[in-house]
Amino acid sequence: MGLMTTQVAPQWVDYNGHMNDAEYARVFSLGVEALMDRIGLDAEGRHQHGYTLYTLETHLCYRREAHQGQTLMVDVQMVDRDAKRLHVLFDMRDEEGNVLATSEQMLMGIDVASGRPAAFPDSVAQALNQVAELTDPESTPVGRCIGIPHR
């Protein structure tokens, strides 16, 4: 599911001459906002439903460098979901389709008035059915554990 396209801003470039690691997280955060817009949780939808999404956990993997002015395309696939949580995998690609980074995330639906987790509004749940499902978890970084392998 193509979510958004952006470009590496000059202020995102660090002393190494490529996009700073924190800026990858920024782009994926913008990807979450684009997903929210896509499923009816844009500003109007959040107000109408009194509902939003919070990020509970993220695992960001850096694959390739991105440079100033470079076009970045962000997509998302659904790994799993229940009544109030989304387990998703975002990927960031360049114009040639090379994966620059991935961000596995757990998102929680929140009732704004109570500040507590709540089931997705019906229209949002229906829109979530349009998010492409991850077809091959074996070839993705989903569920990876960070650590140093000792032999």
Side-chain angles (χ1 to χ4, degrees):
M1 175 180 196
L3 277 181
M4 61 168 275
T5 301
T6 191
Q7 289 187 320
V8 178
Q11 63 270 25
W12 295 357
V13 176
D14 66 14
Y15 48 84
N16 291 315
H18 51 78
M19 193 162 83
N20 181 273
D21 59 341
E23 302 305 333
Y24 285 79
R26 176 194 306 269
V27 172
F28 285 122
S29 182
L30 294 172
V32 171
E33 289 180 16
L35 174 61
M36 291 175 68
D37 290 350
R38 182 74 55 92
I39 62 173
L41 290 176
D42 56 3
E44 182 180 326
R46 289 190 305 272
H47 177 72
Q48 176 188 351
H49 296 295
Y51 194 86
T52 192
L53 294 180
Y54 285 2
T55 303
L56 299 180
E57 185 173 348
T58 185
H59 189 157
L60 204 158
C61 294
Y62 305 94
R63 301 289 183 213
R64 292 177 179 232
E65 297 173 358
H67 299 91
Q68 184 174 327
Q70 185 173 6
T71 298
L72 307 174
M73 294 167 288
V74 177
D75 292 324
V76 66
Q77 295 178 339
M78 185 76 63
V79 177
D80 197 6
R81 76 183 236 214
D82 63 15
K84 57 188 171 187
R85 290 176 296 190
L86 302 176
H87 181 184
V88 292
L89 179 66
F90 291 92
D91 66 61
M92 179 190 306
R93 295 178 185 266
D94 62 18
E95 289 182 300
E96 288 78 43
N98 297 307
V99 176
L100 303 176
T102 59
S103 180
E104 179 182 3
Q105 297 191 22
M106 184 67 69
L107 306 172
M108 174 71 78
I110 300 291
D111 176 275
V112 174
S114 70
R116 304 283 306 151
F120 299 114
D122 289 341
S123 62
V124 173
Q126 290 297 324
L128 285 168
N129 291 333
Q130 303 306 309
V131 177
E133 292 186 19
L134 183 65
T135 55
D136 187 12
E138 299 296 321
S139 67
T140 67
V142 171
R144 285 186 59 216
C145 185
I146 194 168
I148 299 171
H150 295 278
R151 301 184 209 284

